[in-house]
Structure formats: structure tokens, C-alpha cells
């Protein structure tokens, strides 16, 4: 009896094209076998068979692509193992295999692994799948996928999966360290990542970022080292030019400080007033001496602002009233304050005030902001150099105040910590201070001009400003400030000390001073601690009104 194939080959002429195509697709016969049986003698029928087969394959391929499943591609390959899209079908099927395995790694479960084996019985990852199913602790470790989980498995199952564990830990460590580096986002962090993973998968990106962030990191390192390393406008420019972000700076200085830097606007110049020919009587004259940039004006502003905040300041009519009012507003408005611009070096400002003590008694005093130019004028005088008329007049005005013995006097010499070698017109602060102390000594400024009276100078103080920059605890600042003056400004201090001793001045002290936490050179978070010490000193050294002669003399 003939087989089915034999019947098809013998009777192909009477079999319709569609039926022959079905036989071919079902594997009952092949097209080459039909051609050998004589189909080539009927080219039209052969052509129709080929066209129908092509249409069937195209339809099968469209179905496989549209469904996009393993079963669909397998069905196509079962019918058209050597078809036009066979390689694509195999590649797509393999892609689904790998994709499912990759997705499975995100949540390894026994059910998921068994499903994989069902769908891909001959898949690319069957061996690994079987290994996981046979070792459930390893399956759980893979599912957790943490360094701690791999290390725990290693302790409990020594010798198993060593290569995989090492690779997994390295990969996780690489990613963790890269994430941490990106959070810190500076060249130091990326350098540390490269040290740990010189050939890590993010190594090139780390090198690229290190190179790109070199300027940024230098800027931020400078700020970490010194909050005043850059002027506020320079910081604004750095952000505007993309060197760093406000968030970068906020992590170093603080959010409120960054807000103040962003909102910063230079204060207008302080007014200039004409000093009076003579100072008022029945007051205590408080002189503030200081070279340019010593912090003298800020110290005065802090004293007035703090006193006004406490409600113990009463301003009196005087020529410097506008100057005094503006000074008292510098530290009065906000917690973060803006420093004033430098005052003219040739001006002398008179500010008459009353301060109320804890017993509500008023102490009248005249604060005199002496011109920084006086130091230069005195140096010229000491060295017989030419002094123009205007500077000569300013010096003479100051000397007339100092010679007038009607009122008691207090002197504050304001010096900035660490600036003994700062130059002003070719001379250092040390040069100017030494010259001034010798000048005061020579002219007997602290002495009484009558043998029947004691010295009108009731206190001389060296006020060391910007002590917040000293690298020490706040409680250590007074000692460090005193050490600074005695060691770095020794000539000035020795002459001042000698002059006070010879003049009968009993209260000579070095005081540490800071207006608070200064940043960006022009901004400050105001702290009244040191300012209050100066106010207390002023109240102690000045008589209160109606104190009487005995109390006044004793003071």
C-alpha cells in the first residue's frame, strides 16, 4: 500500500494548490520532492504554490511579531525552520529568553524559576536555573542581592559560588561607592571612588568629573577652610558662571547665609560730618583709634546697635547725629547683617549718647571715631615729613580734644587680629601703631596737665577685632588676643604700657572682640557677647548723672 507521501507525489496534478501547500507546511512532503516528481513541468502551478507558501509564511511571521511571545516564534519556526525570517525568529526567541531571565533576577522566586523552565525548556539559562532551584539559600541570597546577603551565604556555605559572590560584591560595591561619590559630588569623592575601583564601570566618568570639577573643588575647599576666603560679589560671580551651585555653598556656610549672599547689596557710604571745635562738657570722652580696615567702624556700629536693641541708648544732639544713627542700624535690623563700606580716612565723628545701666542710671559719654589718617599723619610728624594743610588741621583738631582736660577720657585702640604685616601706603599696621604709641608718650596725652589732678584717662584698652578667626575655643580668645598683641605688636604694647604706668592710668587691658560669625567678608551673623563686654566697661568707667563729686572722683 502506498504511503501518504507516495500518493501525493503520484497524484499532485489533481491536487489543488492550497492542499499541496498544506501538505508542505504539515511536513507530509517537500517542494523539492514535488519538483522531482514532475512539478517543474507545470511552471504555473509551481509558481502558484511558491506564492501561496510565501503568503502563508508572511502571515505566520506577522502573527509571531504581533503576538511577540515565545510560543508565537516557536510556532513560526516549527512551520518555517528554513524560512525567510527563521534567523530573526530565533534571535527574538533568544531575546525573550534573556529578557525574562534578566527580569527574574529582580525578584528571584521558586515559582518564577519554574515558569522560566516551562517557557524555555532549552533556554540559555536553564543550567543556572536548575542550580538555583537545587540551592534555595543561594536563590534567597540572589533575590536579596546585597553585600551583606552574599557575605552571610559565604559564611554559611564556604566554597560555593565563590566566583559569582566575588563578582556580585564587586558590582554592588562599585555601584554603592559611585552613588556615594555622586551625592558628595566633588573631586575628592571621585578620587576616592577611583582608588577603590580603578577599573570600575564608572571609572571613566569619575575621571571626567574630576577634571571638570577641579576649579569648583578649589573654590569650595577655600570656603571650607575660611568662610571669608571670597568677597560676597565674587561668590555671586562663581555661581553665575557655573563654577558651583548655591546648594554646594549652603552645605558649607548654611542656608540662611546663602540667602543673605544672594540678596546682598552694598550699603551706601556713611555720611561725613564736620567735627566741632571743642567737645561738650560734663561727659566722658571715649576715643576709638584704628588704622584703615581695622574694624573700628564695625565695632562702634555693634556697640550702638546692641545698646539700642537693649533699649539703653539715648542719642544726644551733636554734629555726628546722622552718622551715629546710621551706624546704630547696621546690626540692628536682622540677625544676618551687612558691614558698612570703609569710612573716609580723614573724618572725625562726634557721637554724644547716654547709656542706662541696670539701675536705670544714665551715663553720658561722647564717642569719637578718630580718622584712620591720623596714624599716617603722626608717622609723618615723627619722621619730619611734609604734611599738607588739611591733614595738619585734622591732627590738630584731635590733639585739641586730647589736651582738653575738662572731661575724663577712655581710649580704645582697635587692631585686627593677624594683620600686623598688612601694608597701608608701604607701611605695616605694626609701623603705624608703634609710631602712634611713641607720639602719645612724647606728647603726654594720658597725663594730667596739673599736679593737683589725677590723669583724666580712666582706661586704655586694646580692642582686638575679628577674634572669631582665631583657631581656638571662644573661651580661649581673650588669652590668644593678649598673646597676639604682646608678641606681634610688642613695640606698640611696650610703649603703651610704659606711658600708662608713667601717666597714672590704672586700667590698661587687652580685650578680644568679635561682632559674630563673619562670612563672605561683608556679612555677619551678629552676636552681642563681646559687644556687651565693651558696653559694661563703658558703664563701669563713666559716672552716672548726679553721682556727685566723690563718686565721680572715685570712678
Amino acid at each position: 500500500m502506498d504511503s501518504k507521501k507516495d500518493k501525493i507525489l503520484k497524484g499532485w496534478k489533481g491536487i489543488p494548490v492550497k492542499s499541496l501547500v498544506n501538505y508542505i507546511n504539515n511536513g507530509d512532503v517537500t517542494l523539492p520532492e514535488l519538483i522531482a516528481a514532475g512539478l517543474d513541468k507545470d511552471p504555473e502551478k509551481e509558481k502558484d504554490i511558491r506564492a501561496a507558501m510565501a503568503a502563508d509564511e508572511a502571515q505566520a511571521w506577522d502573527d509571531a511579531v504581533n503576538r511577540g511571545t515565545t510560543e508565537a516564534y516557536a510556532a513560526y519556526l516549527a512551520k518555517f525552520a528554513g524560512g525567510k525570517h527563521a534567523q530573526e525568529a530565533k534571535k527574538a526567541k533568544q531575546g525573550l529568553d534573556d529578557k525574562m531571565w534578566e527580569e527574574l533576577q529582580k525578584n528571584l522566586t521558586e515559582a518564577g524559576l519554574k515558569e522560566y523552565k516551562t517557557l524555555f525548556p532549552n533556554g540559555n539559562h536553564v543550567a543556572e536555573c536548575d542550580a538555583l532551584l537545587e540551592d534555595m539559600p543561594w536563590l534567597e541570597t540572589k533575590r536579596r542581592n546585597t553585600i551583606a546577603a552574599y557575605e552571610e551565604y559565604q559564611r554559611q556555605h564556604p566554597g560555593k559560588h565563590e566566583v559569582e559572590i566575588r563578582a556580585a560584591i564587586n558590582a554592588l560595591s562599585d555601584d554603592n561607592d559611585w552613588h556615594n561619590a555622586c551625592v558628595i559630588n566633588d573631586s575628592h569623592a571621585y578620587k576616592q571612588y577611583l582608588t577603590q575601583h580603578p577599573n570600575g564601570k564608572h571609572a571613566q566618568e569619575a575621571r571626567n568629573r574630576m577634571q571638570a570639577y577641579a576649579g569648583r573643588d578649589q573654590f569650595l575647599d577655600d570656603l571650607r577652610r575660611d568662610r571669608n576666603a571670597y568677597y560676597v560679589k565674587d561668590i555671586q560671580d562663581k555661581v553665575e558662571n557655573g563654577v558651583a551651585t548655591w546648594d554646594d555653598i549652603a552645605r558649607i556656610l548654611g542656608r540662611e547665609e546663602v540667602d543673605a549672599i544672594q540678596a546682598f547689596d552694598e550699603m551706601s557710604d556713611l555720611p561725613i560730618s564736620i567735627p566741632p571745635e571743642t567737645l561738650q562738657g560734663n561727659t566722658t570722652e571715649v576715643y576709638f583709634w584704628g588704622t584703615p580696615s581695622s574694624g573700628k567702624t564695625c565695632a562702634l556700629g555693634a556697640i550702638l546697635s546692641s545698646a539700642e536693641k537693649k533699649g539703653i541708648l539715648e542719642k544726644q544732639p551733636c554734629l555726628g547725629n546722622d552718622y551715629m544713627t546710621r551706624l546704630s542700624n547696621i546690626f540692628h535690623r536682622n540677625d544676618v547683617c551687612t558691614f558698612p563700606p570703609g569710612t573716609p580716612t580723614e573724618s572725625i565723628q562726634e557721637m554724644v549718647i547716654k547709656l542706662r545701666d541696670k539701675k536705670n542710671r544714665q551715663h553720658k559719654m561722647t564717642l569719637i571715631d578718630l580718622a584712620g589718617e591720623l596714624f599716617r599723619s603722626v608717622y609723618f610728624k615723627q619722621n619730619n615729613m611734609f604734611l599738607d594743610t588739611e591733614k595738619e588741621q585734622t591732627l590738630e583738631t584731635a590733639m585739641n580734644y586730647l589736651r582738653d582736660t575738662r572731661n575724663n577720657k577712655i581710649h580704645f585702640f582697635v587692631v585686627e587680629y593677624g594683620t600686623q604685616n598688612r601694608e597701608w601706603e608701604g607701611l605695616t599696621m605694626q609701623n603705624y601703631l608703634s609710631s602712634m604709641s611713641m607720639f602719645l608718650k612724647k606728647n603726654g596725652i594720658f597725663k594730667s596737665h596739673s599736679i593737683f589732678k589725677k590723669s583724666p584717662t580712666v582706661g586704655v584698652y586694646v580692642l582686638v577685632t575679628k577674634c572669631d578667626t582665631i583657631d581656638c575655643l571662644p573661651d580661649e580668645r581673650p588669652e590668644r588676643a593678649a598673646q597676639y598683641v604682646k608678641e606681634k605688636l610688642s613695640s606698640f604694647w611696650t610703649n603703651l604700657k610704659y606711658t600708662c604706668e608713667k601717666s597714672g592710668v590704672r586700667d590698661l587691658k587687652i580685650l578680644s572682640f568679635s561682632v559674630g560669625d563673619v562670612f563672605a567678608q561683608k556679612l555677619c551673623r551678629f552676636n552681642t557677647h563681646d559687644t556687651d563686654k565693651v558696653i559694661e566697661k563703658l558703664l563701669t568707667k563713666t559716672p552716672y548723672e548726679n553721682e556727685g563729686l566723690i563718686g565721680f572722683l572715685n570712678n
Side-chain angles (χ1 to χ4, degrees):
M1 182 181 288
D2 292 337
S3 66
K4 186 176 182 180
K5 179 188 288 191
D6 292 337
K7 290 179 180 179
I8 295 170
L9 292 174
K10 287 179 180 179
W12 65 267
K13 291 181 181 180
I15 301 173
V17 169
K18 187 174 181 180
S19 297
L20 287 172
V21 170
N22 286 337
Y23 291 143
I24 293 171
N25 288 341
N26 292 333
D28 296 327
V29 70
T30 66
L31 182 58
E33 288 173 334
L34 286 171
I35 291 173
L39 181 62
D40 58 335
K41 302 294 190 299
D42 189 348
E44 284 299 321
K45 194 165 187 174
E46 180 184 347
K47 180 181 178 182
D48 291 342
I49 290 172
R50 289 183 181 276
M53 288 176 63
D56 282 353
E57 182 182 355
Q59 182 61 52
W61 178 246
D62 286 343
D63 290 344
V65 171
N66 290 333
R67 289 167 63 193
T69 63
T70 304
E71 294 86 350
Y73 290 116
Y76 171 84
L77 288 169
K79 276 189 176 184
F80 306 100
K84 180 179 179 181
H85 302 286
Q87 291 303 316
E88 289 178 77
K90 291 175 183 176
K91 190 173 181 181
K93 187 179 176 185
Q94 182 176 330
L96 288 170
D97 178 341
D98 292 338
K99 184 177 180 182
M100 182 177 181
W101 185 254
E102 183 180 342
E103 288 296 320
L104 195 55
Q105 303 312 298
K106 298 175 184 177
N107 184 25
L108 279 170
T109 63
E110 185 176 5
L113 290 169
K114 288 180 177 178
E115 183 184 3
Y116 171 81
K117 281 199 69 176
T118 300
L119 293 174
F120 301 98
N122 300 308
N124 299 328
H125 308 281
V126 168
E128 190 175 353
C129 183
D130 287 338
L132 287 170
L133 287 169
E134 291 170 7
D135 188 351
M136 295 308 293
W138 177 241
L139 171 61
E140 176 60 19
T141 300
K142 292 275 286 182
R143 189 191 65 76
R144 288 169 61 190
N145 195 36
T146 64
I147 293 175
Y150 287 116
E151 289 176 342
E152 178 63 23
Y153 180 89
Q154 206 168 30
R155 282 191 293 271
Q156 294 184 6
H157 306 277
K160 297 185 70 174
H161 302 289
E162 287 185 342
V163 174
E164 290 176 84
I165 289 173
R166 188 162 52 249
I169 289 177
N170 287 341
L172 288 169
S173 177
D174 190 316
D175 288 339
N176 289 344
D177 291 340
W178 176 248
H179 172 75
N180 293 336
C182 291
V183 169
I184 299 172
N185 198 31
D186 63 22
S187 63
H188 299 298
Y190 295 123
K191 183 178 181 180
Q192 184 177 6
Y193 168 81
L194 284 171
T195 301
Q196 295 167 328
H197 309 280
N199 300 309
K201 58 183 176 181
H202 307 287
Q204 189 55 52
E205 178 65 16
R207 293 186 187 95
N208 294 342
R209 293 192 184 188
M210 278 182 64
Q211 185 174 0
Y213 289 179
R216 169 185 176 274
D217 293 340
Q218 182 62 55
F219 166 65
L220 296 178
D221 282 348
D222 290 343
L223 279 183
R224 287 189 191 95
R225 187 180 63 256
D226 180 3
R227 295 164 67 87
N228 292 287
Y230 292 88
Y231 174 60
V232 59
K233 291 287 189 183
D234 293 332
I235 295 176
Q236 291 176 341
D237 289 344
K238 293 287 187 184
V239 175
E240 185 177 342
N241 294 329
V243 174
T245 67
W246 289 118
D247 285 340
D248 291 333
I249 299 168
R251 281 191 284 272
I252 297 170
L253 300 182
R255 177 51 61 185
E256 287 188 20
E257 284 74 5
V258 161
D259 291 344
I261 293 171
Q262 287 181 271
F264 174 80
D265 190 19
E266 194 79 61
M267 286 182 62
S268 56
D269 290 341
L270 292 168
I272 301 174
S273 61
I274 299 173
E277 289 187 14
T278 59
L279 299 174
Q280 298 182 23
N282 296 320
T283 182
T284 300
E285 299 165 13
V286 185
Y287 292 88
F288 285 82
W289 305 78
T291 60
S293 300
S294 63
K296 170 170 59 72
T297 303
C298 282
L300 274 164
I303 292 166
L304 291 167
S305 296
S306 182
E308 190 156 68
K309 272 187 175 182
K310 293 175 181 297
I312 63 172
L313 174 68
E314 184 180 314
K315 299 168 187 171
Q316 303 297 298
C318 60
L319 291 176
N321 196 273
D322 185 31
Y323 180 81
M324 172 171 53
T325 298
R326 294 175 188 271
L327 264 188
S328 66
N329 288 335
I330 292 173
F331 299 98
H332 186 61
R333 291 168 292 182
N334 304 298
D335 287 335
V336 176
C337 313
T338 302
F339 290 157
T343 52
T345 59
E346 297 181 14
S347 67
I348 296 177
Q349 304 284 354
E350 171 213 36
M351 294 165 281
V352 183
I353 64 171
K354 288 183 180 180
L355 291 180
R356 192 170 64 253
D357 62 25
K358 294 177 182 178
K359 295 182 179 180
N360 284 323
R361 299 173 303 192
Q362 290 189 317
H363 300 244
K364 186 179 180 183
M365 60 195 76
T366 301
L367 308 181
I368 303 112
D369 187 354
L370 290 168
E373 179 65 29
L374 288 177
F375 283 84
R376 183 171 180 272
S377 299
V378 165
Y379 182 86
F380 277 36
K381 278 282 190 182
Q382 290 286 87
N383 291 279
N384 298 314
M385 298 166 67
F386 171 74
L387 199 62
D388 64 45
T389 304
E390 186 176 355
K391 292 181 176 60
E392 187 81 59
Q393 182 59 51
T394 300
L395 179 57
E396 188 57 31
T397 298
M399 293 302 296
N400 286 337
Y401 294 165
L402 294 166
R403 294 188 190 106
D404 187 346
T405 59
R406 291 175 302 150
N407 299 320
N408 278 356
K409 304 182 191 307
I410 298 172
H411 296 271
F412 285 92
F413 291 90
V414 182
V415 298
E416 180 185 350
Y417 181 84
T419 59
Q420 66 276 7
N421 294 320
R422 178 187 290 166
E423 291 192 2
W424 174 38
E425 296 189 351
L427 298 169
T428 65
M429 183 177 76
Q430 211 171 173
N431 298 144
Y432 286 116
L433 286 169
S434 297
S435 175
M436 179 62 77
S437 63
M438 291 175 65
F439 180 78
L440 297 175
K441 174 183 172 183
K442 178 180 177 181
N443 286 273
I445 297 303
F446 298 159
K447 288 183 178 180
S448 170
H449 296 280
S450 168
I451 60 173
F452 301 107
K453 292 182 67 178
K454 69 177 183 178
S455 170
T457 302
V458 296
V460 176
Y461 310 103
V462 181
L463 197 66
V464 184
T465 62
K466 303 184 182 179
C467 281
D468 52 289
T469 63
I470 303 176
D471 186 18
C472 67
L473 296 172
D475 290 346
E476 297 172 344
R477 289 175 185 172
E479 182 180 347
R480 293 287 292 275
Q483 182 182 0
Y484 168 70
V485 172
K486 293 173 183 178
E487 292 182 0
K488 302 299 183 182
L489 305 173
S490 57
S491 176
F492 161 70
W493 173 250
T494 300
N495 284 326
L496 191 64
K497 186 177 179 182
Y498 177 83
T499 304
C500 286
E501 288 173 353
K502 292 298 181 182
S503 303
V505 178
R506 292 178 292 177
D507 197 13
L508 169 66
K509 286 185 173 58
I510 300 169
L511 306 176
S512 62
F513 188 83
S514 168
V515 293
D517 184 10
V518 181
F519 60 96
Q521 300 179 14
K522 293 291 287 185
L523 295 164
C524 167
R525 187 179 287 280
F526 187 38
N527 184 313
T528 66
H529 179 269
D530 290 346
T531 305
D532 292 345
K533 288 192 302 183
V534 174
I535 291 175
E536 187 59 34
K537 179 66 72 175
L538 291 174
L539 290 171
T540 301
K541 303 304 293 186
T542 56
Y544 56 84
E545 290 185 335
N546 303 320
E547 184 177 1
L549 179 62
I550 299 299
F552 181 80
L553 292 175
N554 287 338
N555 189 287

